Amino acid sequence: MMKRAVLLILGAGSLALCAGWSSAAPVVPADTIYVGGDIVTINDAQPSVEALAVKDGRILAAGKRRDLEREHRGQATRVVDLGGKALLPAFIDPHSHYFSSLTVATQVNVFAPPAGPGKDIPSIVAALRKFRDEHKLPRGQLIQAYGYDTSAMPNGVGLTRDDLDVDFPDNPVIVGHVSMHGAVLNSAAMKQFGISAATETPKGGVIVRKPGSNEPAGLVMEMAYLPIFTALPKPDAKQEVEWSRAGQMLYAANGITTAHEGATHAAEFALMQRAAAGGAHIIDVVAFPFFTDFDAVLAQNPVDTWGRYVNHLKLGGGKITLDGSPQGRTGWFTTPYLTGGPGGEQDWCGTSILPDEVVKGFVKKVYDLGLPLNVHANGDAAIDQFLRAHEFAAAGDLSKPRRVTIIHSQFVRPDQLDKYVAYRMRPSFFTLHTFYFADTHILNRGREQAFFESPMRAAIDRGLRPTNHTDFVVAPLDQMMVVWSAVNRISRKGVEIGPDQRVTPLEALKAITIYAAEQYGEEASKGSLEPGKLADLVILDRNPLKVQPMAIRDVRVVETIKEGATIYRAK
Ligand SMILES: [Zn+2]
């Protein structure tokens, strides 16, 4: 706020000087002035302007072209004609898994169409074979894939180890489930990671077995998958900077200049710090250490260093995960799934990952440190568990603003939204589910619940300021698709998923700009185009507020600008 106040005073001073002098020389020359296209500010007090002036990586002024050119156009000022394109604040990612972006470049995409080729088992195996052959991978080399979507498989018959063993007898293969909470392993991978008929299913875990036997069938989820995930190979020192930059370019290409790392392990954060110190960062990254590693990260990074960027990397707060995913049927509900469990279980309500006592302890620890908290909760039982933990940990003052974000809140009930309001919590929704997974949710949870998934309208009407995310690599990084899904709510099969929960394009944009800035406590410097804020900008080929709602997903990122410098330009 200090900086902004100073700039405002400077601005006022320059106006007075201009009025007093007959000379046209600008008092504060800008580095760049943008003109000639729609400038969408996401600032309700001044929703659109004709021109935007940038100096030293910050926004100097926003207003009428005539005024800005008179006051801020110096000899060295670059005037950029948008040529009818639209200028907006750059997008802020409220939840994804940044660290995964480092390895995506070296893994096989098996997302279901349109995000990838994984429409059935033969297509997935073919993609894996193609990758092996193109990269000439030797025998024994681990092959990893991401984005496997069980719900997209014809007749609901999922990928098994046997499907993979035919073509990959000697290479361990791990096909990551789209939820990121599990994977299908072939026999060589099971051998490498110690999964066999003798392996007991851990509490809160899933090991799908072959019918009538104890032999693992391939899919391993949740607590059974965690040790495998932890043991997966990480980049070496040489690759750290290179992979970090490649990962950040995926974000920059989608107009994102602040990325989220949604469940950071201590070793990963150490790597991120090394890469950042090595100059890898072209964007800001906010990391939320996972509850398993929270103490270890805190031991290396004292609490007073959290919340501040060093080399464009900051620790955002603590993260705890209370359930799985509804599409993987591991989301934790108060009522059973209509389709049973992932292993054929009856009366299946999903899995609780942690006992109440552990959740209460972690929430209280984070609150007592005064740090923000991110909670992964999809099903209503998981959300209830968190609300119980909050009522325990915040007993002295239930409504104190604590920057608490309930990530996904996918199947939040109306009475739980009321509690979010009372307790000043923020939902970060995942409206892409209305496209990617809603047809499955209708089968699993019934129409009524499926239609109220990610209920953004209900949240905003209650005065909440929700954000909206991709959960990358669960869904592709595509911010216009995020906006499209919040505005249209139409499934892959063309079903309207709770049209009463649609929001306006402007509201959908706020969920990835100003509300996301608030989620990080960065609303004074990001999220809208106002003097004093960072010049984190995105240029789109069209104004998403002016195209037909169904065409929003066709709007393309043309250029991404971080603190005044272009970091991405579409070819
Ligand atoms: Zn996530």
Side-chain angles (χ1 to χ4, degrees):
M1 286 314 286
M2 269 307 279
K3 268 189 185 139
R4 204 174 143 204
V6 169
L7 269 164
L8 287 174
I9 292 162
L10 271 176
S14 63
L15 276 174
L17 284 169
C18 282
W21 287 357
S22 53
S23 157
V27 177
V28 186
D31 298 333
T32 310
I33 298 177
Y34 294 93
V35 298
D38 288 355
I39 300 179
V40 180
T41 66
I42 316 290
N43 169 15
D44 288 340
Q46 190 184 30
S48 68
V49 292
E50 287 174 7
L52 187 87
V54 169
K55 184 177 177 59
D56 298 334
R58 286 187 182 264
I59 296 166
L60 179 63
K64 285 212 182 327
R65 177 174 185 167
R66 189 166 35 94
D67 296 343
L68 263 65
E69 292 206 355
R70 189 181 64 231
E71 291 158 24
H72 302 297
R73 184 172 181 174
Q75 284 198 326
T77 300
R78 187 173 62 112
V79 177
V80 174
D81 186 347
L82 293 165
K85 300 183 187 76
L87 181 71
L88 287 83
F91 304 134
I92 299 173
D93 160 30
H95 178 78
S96 72
H97 295 273
Y98 161 74
F99 197 78
S100 301
S101 75
L102 275 62
T103 45
V104 157
T106 58
Q107 294 188 5
V108 189
N109 172 357
V110 296
F111 271 119
K119 69 177 190 320
D120 53 22
I121 292 166
S123 308
I124 291 172
V125 175
L128 289 163
R129 265 201 316 260
K130 185 163 171 259
F131 185 87
R132 176 193 61 192
D133 299 343
E134 279 178 4
H135 291 77
K136 299 187 170 62
L137 297 182
R139 285 174 59 180
Q141 170 83 46
L142 173 67
I143 301 169
Q144 283 181 258
Y146 63 94
Y148 163 56
D149 186 354
T150 337
S151 66
M153 294 300 104
N155 309 315
V157 180
L159 182 72
T160 66
R161 67 192 289 182
D162 296 338
D163 297 321
L164 298 169
D165 284 350
V166 178
D167 287 281
F168 302 95
D170 304 316
N171 291 84
V173 179
I174 297 185
V175 179
H177 189 262
V178 68
S179 67
M180 284 186 43
H181 290 231
V184 177
L185 281 66
N186 73 344
S187 295
M190 287 199 182
K191 197 170 167 215
Q192 181 172 336
F193 292 94
I195 305 280
S196 71
T199 309
E200 278 185 41
T201 305
K203 202 169 164 14
V206 174
I207 299 177
V208 177
R209 314 278 174 170
K210 291 185 177 179
S213 106
N214 214 35
E215 201 58 47
L219 184 63
V220 178
M221 300 284 290
E222 308 301 337
M223 292 311 264
Y225 176 64
L226 206 53
I228 299 169
F229 179 77
T230 309
L232 288 173
K234 306 288 186 288
D236 64 34
K238 264 174 59 187
Q239 294 165 317
E240 286 175 359
V241 170
E242 201 182 303
W243 290 21
S244 300
R245 197 161 267 250
Q248 289 173 32
M249 275 310 292
L250 296 176
Y251 286 85
N254 284 284
I256 298 166
T257 56
T258 303
H260 179 103
E261 168 29 60
T264 317
H265 296 268
E268 293 168 355
F269 189 67
L271 185 159
M272 289 163 66
Q273 282 180 311
R274 287 195 300 274
H281 278 244
I282 56 170
I283 62 171
D284 292 336
V285 177
V286 190
F288 283 77
F290 204 39
F291 70 101
T292 51
D293 290 48
F294 184 81
D295 290 341
V297 174
L298 195 59
Q300 295 296 318
N301 302 273
V303 68
D304 61 313
T305 66
W306 292 49
R308 277 191 283 129
Y309 284 106
V310 177
N311 301 320
H312 295 282
L313 173 66
K314 86 168 184 180
L315 284 162
K319 169 70 182 291
I320 190 165
T321 293
L322 304 186
D323 68 346
S325 74
Q327 68 274 30
R329 282 179 278 174
T330 49
W332 182 28
F333 288 83
T334 55
T335 52
Y337 285 80
L338 303 175
T339 42
E345 299 87 342
Q346 296 295 304
D347 275 331
W348 174 260
C349 293
T351 42
S352 143
I353 290 180
L354 298 165
D356 266 21
E357 291 318 305
V358 174
V359 180
K360 285 178 179 170
F362 183 74
V363 171
K364 183 155 173 36
K365 183 194 295 184
V366 174
Y367 284 4
D368 289 352
L369 286 165
L371 293 175
L373 175 68
N374 276 8
V375 181
H376 166 118
N378 267 311
D380 66 329
I383 294 168
D384 278 341
Q385 183 183 43
F386 170 62
L387 292 170
R388 284 195 299 277
H390 174 82
E391 284 157 6
F392 164 81
D397 186 352
L398 289 173
S399 300
K400 183 176 149 185
R402 290 181 167 86
R403 294 204 193 271
V404 172
T405 308
I406 300 103
I407 303 290
H408 307 322
S409 293
Q410 191 66 260
F411 287 92
V412 64
R413 299 187 309 258
D415 64 292
Q416 292 174 324
L417 280 178
D418 293 337
K419 286 207 165 177
Y420 287 5
V421 176
Y423 299 160
R424 301 207 203 183
M425 295 166 176
R426 185 188 310 272
S428 184
F429 290 127
F430 191 0
T431 61
L432 285 172
H433 269 242
T434 62
F435 175 74
Y436 284 110
F437 306 115
D439 299 313
T440 301
H441 295 329
I442 291 171
L443 299 176
N444 284 345
R445 302 297 324 170
R447 283 173 88 84
E448 194 185 333
Q449 278 189 19
F451 282 17
F452 199 70
E453 67 174 296
S454 279
M456 198 177 254
R457 176 82 273 142
I460 291 174
D461 288 349
R462 280 167 169 78
L464 293 167
R465 295 161 81 84
T467 62
N468 197 10
H469 59 254
T470 60
D471 204 14
F472 173 79
V473 296
V474 173
L477 283 174
D478 184 342
Q479 301 309 295
M480 283 299 112
M481 188 70 189
V482 171
V483 172
W484 179 89
S485 64
V487 170
N488 292 290
R489 296 180 68 97
I490 292 176
S491 76
R492 272 185 206 277
K493 288 186 178 162
V495 181
E496 294 191 332
I497 305 300
D500 60 338
Q501 292 305 318
R502 286 174 176 153
V503 299
T504 67
L506 180 61
E507 288 168 330
L509 283 172
K510 285 182 176 179
I512 57 170
T513 53
I514 189 65
Y515 297 166
E518 292 169 3
Q519 184 180 309
Y520 296 134
E522 297 185 42
E523 64 274 18
S525 61
K526 292 180 182 173
S528 63
L529 304 183
E530 295 177 67
K533 291 198 179 189
L534 293 175
D536 289 358
L537 313 170
V538 62
I539 299 174
L540 305 174
D541 67 350
R542 279 162 290 170
N543 181 352
L545 300 182
K546 289 188 177 171
V547 302
Q548 287 297 313
M550 283 303 282
I552 290 172
R553 63 176 165 185
D554 303 322
V555 174
R556 290 284 163 260
V557 173
V558 174
E559 186 175 338
T560 306
I561 295 144
K562 174 73 180 131
E563 295 173 34
T566 297
I567 56 170
Y568 168 81
R569 192 174 268 130
K571 289 192 187 83

